[in-house]
């Protein structure tokens, strides 16, 4: 077995100028891991970004939502689909966001094209659901386009002699592909997808999301602004009040918060270790594991009812993290056919939650990976939140088609999607907060939101990047824009 990393060679939080809470830090946990940790997990990237308050109107104002629609959404790379959503030629996906509708279509050569999903005759949407077709025929009058967006046919051509068929292609949209994900950008120009995502592709080389497939996908309308909802998943320290059942095995305030440039950040949340908020007296390593098995939202039994790889007995002298890591190392090797011998305990257990501006959040590591996406609703007071679970396709086997999305209405609960397992209960605890956050922002006397300098640094970066796209003063309501 490889020895743990040399603690003398690893940075400490203090040496990096990072704020620290009581209890063992993320970097100290990595130094004690049963495998040497990759550089991406032990190289902090933090800078204090100031403490300017955020205007509450950013979350409630239709004017601000309009600025986002006009100045931000068209100019960013948006995660729009996974490759397994449209595996065969002719397969297409309808992607809608911020008032736009797009068709993403698989071509005969395996490439992907994207175009606006609007008939150029009278403006009807060409498609409202995913499917497969070599032509997109408008259900209103029969104007038709090929799956690459080029014009195909119009009825009563004699009545449209003023139209040049060579100029009737559906307006195209930029397409970028990485790691099994398909991205769109409405307005051309700006950074390439690789530049926009950096350093995410380098970090995820080890975790190979291109070898994964969507095995669960649930979407729900939420009674809160898309930024309110997204930001609830950008920090772990709400666990102490919102998710107290997770504290026995979650190092909530042991977490690391790092940012890179404008678009990418991460929250590294350790599992299999007790929260510093709890009194450890009389609590054994086995107790930590038992609580983990009971409440962990990604347990193997959510995906394979015949297996429970987290049910382990902790040997004498071994920590809960080491015992869980050893069991998962063997389980994932058996399940996938890929060798996980060098996988750290962290990569097998922990929530390595990355965010890519503005609304894409893939989890790193080797376990079944969660992927979040948030989209604005019809008003600033609602949004759509999506949760996918990716699992690695067994080595040598063909990638299956991904599962379809299940949609939950505003009046439904996450727990009405049984495939979520205990994650549904955790999300419902978040939902107990979010509508009242939205109402509170409307009712706020000060009209301001305050952020912590470390545990909420990801929110700070997110808001500052939004400022730059909108061309407004930091934290402002954009009223002068």
């Amino acid at each position: 077995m490889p020895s743990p990393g040399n603690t003398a060679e690893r940075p400490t939080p203090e040496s990096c100028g990072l704020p620290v809470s009581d209890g063992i830090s993320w970097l100290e946990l990595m130094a004690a891991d049963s495998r040497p940790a990759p550089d991406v997990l032990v190289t902090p990237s933090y800078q204090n970004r100031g403490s300017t308050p955020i205007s509450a109107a950013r979350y409630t104002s239709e004017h601000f939502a309009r600025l986002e629609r006009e100045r931000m959404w068209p100019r960013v790379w948006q995660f729009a689909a996974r490759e397994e959503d449209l595996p065969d030629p002719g397969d297409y996906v309808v992607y809608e966001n911020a008032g736009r509708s797009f068709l993403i279509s698989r071509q005969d050569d395996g490439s992907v094209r994207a175009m606006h999903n609007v008939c150029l005759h009278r403006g009807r949407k060409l498609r409202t659901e995913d499917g497969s077709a070599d032509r997109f025929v408008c259900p209103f009058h029969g104007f038709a386009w090929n799956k690459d967006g080029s014009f195909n046919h119009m009825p009563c051509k004699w009545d449209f002699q003023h139209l040049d068929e060579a100029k009737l292609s559906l307006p195209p949209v930029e397409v970028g592909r990485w790691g099994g994900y398909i991205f769109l950008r409405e307005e051309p120009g700006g950074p390439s997808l690789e530049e926009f995502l950096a350093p995410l592709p380098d970090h995820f080389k080890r975790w190979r999301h291109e070898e994964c497939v969507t095995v669960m996908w649930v979407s729900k309308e939420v009674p809160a602004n898309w930024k309110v909802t997204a930001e609830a998943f950008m920090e772990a320290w709400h666990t102490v009040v919102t998710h107290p059942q997770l504290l026995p095995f979650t190092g909530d305030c042991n977490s690391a918060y790092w940012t890179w440039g404008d678009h990418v950040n991460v929250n590294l949340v350790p599992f299999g270790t007790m929260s510093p908020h709890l009194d450890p007296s009389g609590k054994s390593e086995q107790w930590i594991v038992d609580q983990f098995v009971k409440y962990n939202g990604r347990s193997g039994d959510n995906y394979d009812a015949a297996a429970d790889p987290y049910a382990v007995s902790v040997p004498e002298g071994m920590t809960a993290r080491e015992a869980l890591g050893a069991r998962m190392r063997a389980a994932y090797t058996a399940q996938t056919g890929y060798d996980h011998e060098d996988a750290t305990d962290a990569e097998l257990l922990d929530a390595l939650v990355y965010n890519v501006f503005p609304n894409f959040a893939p989890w790193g590591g080797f376990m079944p990976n969660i992927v979040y996406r948030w989209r604005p609703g019809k008003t600033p007071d609602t949004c759509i939140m999506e949760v996918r679970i990716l699992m690695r396709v067994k080595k040598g086997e063909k990638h299956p088609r991904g599962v379809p999305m299940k949609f939950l209405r505003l009046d439904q609960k996450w727990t009405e999607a049984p495939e979520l397992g205990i994650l549904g209960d955790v999300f419902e605890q978040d939902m107990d907060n979010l509508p009242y956050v939205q109402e509170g922002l409307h009712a706020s006397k000060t009209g301001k939101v305050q952020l912590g300098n470390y545990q909420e640094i990801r929110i700070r970066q997110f808001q500052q990047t939004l400022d730059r796209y909108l061309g407004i003063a930091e934290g402002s309501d954009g009223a002068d824009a």
Side-chain angles (χ1 to χ4, degrees):
M1 176 184 293
S3 61
N6 186 338
T7 58
E9 297 175 354
R10 297 191 182 280
T12 64
E14 293 83 359
S15 71
C16 297
L18 302 180
V20 293
S21 67
D22 294 335
I24 188 171
S25 73
W26 172 263
L27 293 177
E28 290 164 338
L29 279 169
M30 291 303 95
D33 201 285
S34 65
R35 301 292 188 274
D39 287 344
V40 299
L41 296 183
V42 294
T43 307
S45 182
Y46 169 82
Q47 66 179 90
N48 189 303
R49 293 172 175 260
S51 54
T52 301
I54 305 298
S55 170
R58 296 164 81 95
Y59 304 94
T60 61
S61 157
E62 172 55 34
H63 172 72
F64 198 87
R66 179 177 61 80
L67 290 178
E68 292 174 347
R69 290 193 299 270
E70 294 177 354
R71 301 185 181 184
M72 185 271 288
W73 288 112
R75 293 172 175 80
V76 295
W77 286 103
Q78 302 179 43
F79 162 47
R82 286 274 305 172
E83 298 280 358
E84 65 267 18
D85 297 340
L86 58 161
D88 301 321
D91 287 348
Y92 65 87
V93 168
V94 176
Y95 172 66
E96 297 188 319
N97 187 34
R100 298 293 197 205
S101 184
F102 307 101
L103 287 168
I104 307 166
S105 177
R106 181 77 68 183
Q107 306 301 300
D108 291 335
D109 63 359
S111 64
V112 175
R113 293 201 179 185
M115 60 221 75
H116 286 261
N117 179 31
V118 177
C119 176
L120 299 182
H121 170 220
R122 295 271 291 277
R124 191 197 193 279
K125 288 181 181 179
L126 295 171
R127 289 292 184 272
T128 58
E129 296 180 347
D130 302 350
S132 185
D134 286 329
R135 292 194 311 160
F136 300 117
V137 181
C138 180
F140 197 1
H141 294 92
F143 273 59
W145 286 265
N146 299 312
K147 64 175 177 282
D148 64 358
S150 60
F151 185 73
N152 178 273
H153 170 73
M154 70 174 76
C156 296
K157 183 177 178 180
W158 58 267
D159 205 18
F160 294 92
Q161 296 182 39
H162 53 290
L163 296 182
D164 182 352
E165 293 187 14
K167 298 180 180 179
L168 285 180
S169 294
L170 295 174
V173 179
E174 281 191 297
V175 174
R177 298 160 72 184
W178 163 80
Y181 299 94
I182 298 171
F183 295 81
L184 305 183
R185 182 167 58 187
E186 182 180 350
E187 294 294 332
S192 67
L193 177 61
E194 292 72 19
E195 292 168 336
F196 191 92
L197 295 177
L200 194 78
D202 283 341
H203 288 211
F204 276 67
K205 282 180 182 178
R206 185 171 167 89
W207 304 318
R208 308 186 308 277
H209 276 207
E210 64 274 11
E211 295 173 359
C212 298
V213 67
T214 301
V215 297
M216 188 275 290
W217 184 8
V218 180
S219 174
K220 177 171 167 32
E221 188 174 9
V222 177
N225 185 266
W226 73 276
K227 298 183 294 298
V228 166
T229 307
E231 288 170 1
F233 295 85
M234 291 189 195
E235 44 83 6
W237 75 282
H238 69 277
T239 302
V240 66
V241 175
T242 302
H243 309 298
Q245 79 279 11
L246 307 184
L247 295 178
F249 58 86
T250 303
D252 53 337
C253 57
N254 303 122
S255 301
Y257 296 86
W258 301 340
T259 65
W260 297 272
D262 288 338
H263 298 124
V264 180
N265 59 56
V266 72
N267 181 195
L268 306 170
V269 186
F271 289 151
T273 186
M274 195 183 308
S275 168
H277 292 293
L278 297 185
D279 182 356
S281 301
K283 302 297 192 297
S284 67
E285 296 296 312
Q286 185 63 53
W287 179 80
I288 295 174
V289 168
D290 293 343
Q291 295 298 304
F292 187 89
V293 172
K294 186 176 180 181
Y295 290 114
N296 171 54
R298 291 175 296 151
S299 295
D301 57 3
N302 286 340
Y303 318 107
D304 180 0
D308 187 6
Y310 288 98
V312 303
S313 296
V314 182
E316 186 70 27
M318 185 176 283
T319 67
R321 281 176 66 81
E322 290 171 328
L324 287 164
R327 181 64 178 268
M328 297 318 303
R329 199 170 284 111
Y332 289 145
T333 297
Q335 289 171 8
T336 68
Y338 291 94
D339 184 9
H340 288 76
E341 182 56 32
D342 69 342
T344 60
D345 302 330
E347 293 168 296
L348 298 165
L349 299 174
D350 296 342
L352 314 179
V353 190
Y354 285 75
N355 266 76
V356 176
F357 184 88
N359 65 331
F360 169 50
W363 288 35
F366 291 109
M367 75 293 291
N369 296 86
I370 296 173
V371 180
Y372 299 130
R373 180 171 66 181
W374 302 274
R375 291 178 287 161
K378 294 180 180 179
T379 76
D381 294 323
T382 65
C383 73
I384 302 296
M385 176 175 171
E386 296 176 38
V387 181
R388 290 185 188 234
I389 299 287
L390 307 184
M391 286 191 69
R392 199 167 308 282
V393 178
K394 192 164 186 176
K395 190 174 184 178
E397 293 187 358
K398 183 181 178 181
H399 270 53
R401 183 180 292 270
V403 300
M405 182 185 72
K406 173 182 286 187
F407 180 75
L408 301 174
R409 301 182 309 273
L410 196 64
D411 62 340
Q412 292 180 287
K413 295 181 178 294
W414 287 102
T415 49
E416 294 181 49
E419 58 267 45
L420 283 171
I422 204 164
L423 271 177
D425 297 281
V426 175
F427 291 149
E428 275 306 306
Q429 290 177 317
D430 291 305
M431 295 304 108
D432 287 341
N433 290 324
L434 297 184
Y436 300 108
V437 172
Q438 191 67 23
E439 290 181 16
L441 290 165
H442 277 284
S444 172
K445 176 67 173 177
T446 66
K448 296 179 180 179
V449 173
Q450 304 289 351
L451 299 175
N453 287 337
Y454 183 66
Q455 293 181 103
E456 292 170 338
I457 192 65
R458 302 169 80 205
I459 301 174
R460 176 74 64 191
Q461 180 212 39
F462 169 77
Q463 291 286 348
Q464 289 178 342
T465 299
L466 185 57
D467 293 332
R468 283 189 275 277
Y469 276 96
L470 302 188
I472 61 176
E474 180 177 354
S476 73
D477 61 7
D480 294 334

